[in-house]
Amino acid sequence: MRPVRTIRTQVGIVGAGPAGLTLAGLLGRQGIETVVLENKSRDYIEHRIRAGVLEQGSVELLEEAGVAGRLKREGLVHHGIELQFDGERHRVPLTELTGGASIVIYGQTEVVKDLVSARLAAGAPLLFEVQDVRLADIDSHCPRVEFSLEGQVTQLECDVVAGCDGSHGVSRATIPAGVLSSYSREYPFAWLGILAAVAPSSDELVYAHSPRGFALLSMRSPQLSRLYLQCRPDEDIASWEDARIWEELQLRLGLPGWTLAEGPVLEKGVTPMRSFVVEPMQYGNLFLAGDAAHIVPPTGAKGLNLALHDVRILAEALVDYYATGSKKSLAAYSERCLRRVWRSEHFSWWMTSMLHRSWDGDQYDEKLQVAQLRYTVTSGAAAASLAENYVGTAKA
Ligand SMILES: Cc1cc2nc3c(=O)[nH]c(=O)nc-3n(C[C@H](O)[C@H](O)[C@H](O)COP(=O)(O)OP(=O)(O)OC[C@H]3O[C@@H](n4cnc5c(N)ncnc54)[C@H](O)[C@@H]3O)c2cc1C
């Protein structure tokens, strides 16, 4: 079908997740024009339950994008996490071990809501429910994004396209075969997650290694708990009634003298686990950011933070390009991102391997895990290593 209208912009952004929306916000503040295209509805993206831990650097970036007002008021600042194993909990004092850094608990849904409302309030283009998105001429000086909206076929002409359309988007697939190298790891685990209307039973996140498998107690607000159970990737959620989920959580997280408070389950689902990276994260005038270029298992709480880190680098490079006309910073984009990507890939793999129980009950593995956990909570150096990776201050 031939396009019936053409829109011209500087940067075309495919995907209104945290990466695309934050990039649009950062560029908007520097006077760089963007159009953001999203194939789902506003309601859908604002209620898609995903990550909830923000590194300090991510909070600072959202401040820079001008969208941290509510985050500052409602986000829960945490200074430590708990590791539970062998029937005991041990606190890892993140702030103390990292010279003052902390994390903030604030749902990805809330980050997206804040970014969407800031964008719409600024009157900047953000098009929902676009269909048949297709990238063309990405190796030319005028890449295009074609899409249809309410039956009208449109082409967006840009200087640069940012592919921020997640792991199942179209951007990465547009890059010709043979250009990208991909690296991946599949895990035999998934997470069964619930969002529950009950005050969190702990002030800080609890990562629990147990003979029945891993469990995580986390939260989204003082009234909302987010809890996870290690399960199999093909787990049938229909076989997990709420009562069974709570019973299993009690068994994995319970300690003498401590009870997990239960409440109505508002949402539940199974999230598979995967590690994946493509290199390079750019081709011609297409730049991949966030989950479009890499995936981490959620154990290290890195997915959302990495997506924000990519767009910080991309925004800096684009600002430099429009100020100087030089593409030097853009050319270095992938290399600058990938160091941090691989640091987070390693940390996420390490946390996953240390905390999840192998299904065949391999006792040697389990002994190694407990030895590693014990070392992590008894050695200042090991605890500091976990802490600086968790809060995002580790050098990449
Ligand atoms: C179920 C789930 C649970 C998760 N839980 C955690 C967690 O607990 N902790 C953690 O750190 N991370 C978690 N993550 C990872 C984290 O949420 C992601 O790393 C983060 O969303 C990455 O942001 P992004 O903007 O790169 O991609 P996304 O958030 O995926 O955004 C991409 C956007 O592009 C849109 N899109 C896709 N295709 C097209 C197209 N063809 N045209 C236009 N738009 C398109 C999508 O609808 C989406 O809005 C989870 C991820 C999933 C899937």
Side-chain angles (χ1 to χ4, degrees):
M1 227 187 304
R2 286 170 60 80
V4 295
R5 66 170 179 161
T6 297
I7 308 173
R8 163 88 209 145
T9 192
Q10 290 176 297
V11 181
I13 300 178
V14 186
L21 290 166
T22 306
L23 178 65
L26 292 168
L27 295 178
R29 286 172 87 84
Q30 300 295 325
I32 297 170
E33 278 178 21
T34 55
V35 173
V36 183
L37 304 175
E38 167 60 48
N39 66 357
K40 295 281 197 287
S41 68
R42 177 179 180 182
D43 186 62
Y44 183 89
I45 66 162
E46 288 187 344
H47 293 93
R48 187 167 42 193
I49 310 283
R50 287 187 171 177
V53 175
L54 294 176
E55 295 171 357
Q56 195 161 295
S58 297
V59 172
E60 285 160 10
L61 189 73
L62 293 168
E63 277 180 84
E64 210 180 295
V67 292
R70 196 162 67 93
L71 159 61
K72 287 286 193 187
R73 287 193 305 278
E74 298 177 14
L76 309 173
V77 180
H78 282 197
H79 300 288
I81 57 168
E82 303 261 7
L83 292 179
Q84 179 175 327
F85 58 95
D86 262 359
E88 283 180 356
R89 262 181 214 167
H90 305 261
R91 183 165 189 267
V92 181
L94 300 174
T95 302
E96 198 181 303
L97 291 164
T98 55
S102 55
I103 51 164
V104 176
I105 306 301
Y106 191 69
Q108 182 169 328
T109 45
E110 306 315 298
V111 172
V112 167
K113 280 179 202 162
D114 295 345
L115 286 160
V116 168
S117 61
R119 176 100 187 150
L120 297 178
L126 166 53
L127 308 179
F128 292 105
E129 299 182 70
V130 300
Q131 290 174 332
D132 308 320
V133 176
R134 199 177 79 85
L135 276 55
D137 300 335
I138 50 172
D139 53 354
S140 78
H141 68 281
C142 183
R144 289 176 294 119
V145 187
E146 288 181 7
F147 60 95
S148 55
L149 183 60
E150 291 164 353
Q152 197 176 39
V153 181
T154 303
Q155 71 173 354
L156 182 64
E157 286 183 355
C158 337
D159 301 328
V160 161
V161 176
C164 303
D165 47 354
S167 57
H168 304 294
V170 293
S171 299
R172 190 178 68 237
T174 307
I175 297 176
V179 171
L180 300 178
S181 299
S182 66
Y183 306 88
S184 63
R185 172 77 30 113
E186 300 292 329
Y187 301 88
F189 325 117
W191 279 10
L192 191 162
I194 60 166
L195 186 69
V198 59
S201 300
S202 164
D203 291 338
E204 295 180 330
L205 277 77
V206 180
Y207 286 80
H209 176 274
S210 99
R212 301 182 67 90
F214 171 72
L216 171 62
L217 186 171
S218 75
M219 60 292 291
R220 288 294 179 267
S221 73
Q223 299 81 30
L224 283 178
S225 295
R226 179 86 170 135
L227 297 127
Y228 298 95
L229 289 169
Q230 172 190 343
C231 64
R232 294 181 189 272
D234 58 355
E235 198 76 46
D236 178 12
I237 190 79
S239 69
W240 284 85
E241 287 157 16
D242 295 357
R244 182 179 171 207
I245 297 175
W246 285 115
E247 191 187 341
E248 192 61 35
L249 284 165
Q250 297 285 5
L251 288 169
R252 296 191 195 182
L253 284 161
L255 286 178
W258 181 90
T259 323
L260 175 67
E262 300 183 9
V265 174
L266 305 176
E267 197 261 358
K268 60 181 161 184
V270 171
T271 308
M273 278 194 181
R274 199 157 70 100
S275 295
F276 174 77
V277 182
V278 290
E279 293 186 4
M281 291 168 55
Q282 62 196 90
Y283 174 74
N285 280 312
L286 169 63
F287 295 82
L288 303 176
D291 278 16
H294 41 72
I295 302 286
V296 283
T299 330
K302 289 288 161 241
L304 170 59
N305 293 297
L306 263 189
L308 295 181
H309 183 261
D310 288 350
V311 297
R312 179 167 76 75
I313 306 284
L314 185 53
E316 281 171 13
L318 286 164
V319 168
D320 184 56
Y321 168 59
Y322 284 111
T324 65
S326 159
K327 288 205 162 173
K328 201 168 156 218
S329 300
L330 280 173
Y333 166 72
S334 182
E335 203 185 318
R336 282 191 69 196
C337 291
L338 281 167
R339 281 183 166 222
R340 170 75 168 248
V341 168
W342 279 109
R343 174 87 304 281
S344 297
E345 288 284 335
H346 178 269
F347 179 65
S348 305
W349 163 84
W350 179 77
M351 286 284 279
T352 303
S353 313
M354 178 170 70
L355 288 161
H356 291 72
R357 187 170 190 274
S358 68
W359 297 118
D360 60 10
D362 186 324
Q363 296 222 321
Y364 184 80
D365 266 1
E366 207 171 316
K367 295 275 182 197
L368 288 182
Q369 289 176 330
V370 172
Q372 182 62 48
L373 282 160
R374 196 164 295 289
Y375 178 59
T376 302
V377 298
T378 52
S379 150
S385 171
L386 185 150
E388 65 179 24
N389 278 283
Y390 200 86
V391 303
T393 56
K395 290 230 174 351

